Amino acid sequence: MNLLEVADLSVSFPGPSGRIPAVRNISLSLAPGECLAIVGESGCGKSVIAQAVMRLLPEGTEVLGDMYYHGQNLTHLSESEMKQIRGEEIAMVFQSPERALNPVIKIGRQLIQPQVLHKLCNAKDAELRAKGVLQSLGLDADWVMNAYPWMCSGGMCQRIVFAAVSLLHPYVVIADEPTKGLDAERIGELETMLSSITSSGKTSLLLITHDMEVAAHLADRILVMYCGMIVEEGAAALLLAAPKHPYTRGLLNSLPKNGFVPIPGMSPALTALPDGCVFHPRCPIADEECRKSIPQLRNGVRCHKC
């Protein structure tokens, strides 16, 4: 049984000229111990999916579809019921980790208290566990435990938040652009940390990233998004070795190791999406059919020509 299932999810935000479609008809599943990576350019809707699952979208957002965790429909739960799930069962690391930490409380207390509140261990053991995780992430544990978040860099805060999440042993971890702002050495350390999350076979990782290299290193499956829609999905090894959709091929060609060839043009604004296939204005193989009709997702790819 899958830990997490999203069925036909559509999310739109209010705008001056009508609703703005951020996510359209997204379906995905996450099995125990699996890493699913959602990749795509900024603004494609990756983070919106995560926020929808966590029920953290702002007031006025329209959410259609269903989201199931352990078989229960998250869309039907009350806010108090969702609070029991957030953190302890489904944990999320946001793009700006420094905002997830209280600037006026020492980091040690912020790592110890949740463990005690969730009855995982006593305060003394919680401190030892926290220091162990911090050290595994390459941090000076004694200094960090006595520091305030504002004394730490963005990269340090990122690792501290991951330490906080891992200490609670949730069933699902959602990592939203976890490598943002980190150098190559720290990315390697973080990849090791992320990989360890799924090593037990019980915890699943939903990885949201624009970094195809990170997705290649960690993901079992990859879901590629463009303008709020899935354009390709499949097993990571197969998708990376033989991408079908022109957008996926473009993302891979833009990697330095593949020649650093960028995709021509820019993603359209969500308020002015083109008719037909949303990628056709940038696609090298688009024809009249692509300009007129939206392709369906068939055999893991949304393309008239694939």
Side-chain angles (χ1 to χ4, degrees), residues 54 82-92 118 164-173:
M54 296 295 285
M82 275 302 302
K83 285 182 178 179
Q84 298 300 313
I85 291 176
R86 292 192 197 106
E88 185 173 357
E89 298 193 46
I90 305 178
M92 183 171 176
H118 288 291
V165 166
S166 65
L167 286 166
L168 295 180
H169 298 303
Y171 289 105
V172 176
V173 174

Side-chain angles (χ1 to χ4, degrees), residues 132-143:
V133 172
L134 291 173
Q135 288 172 350
S136 72
L137 291 172
L139 297 171
D140 182 335
D142 290 328
W143 184 88

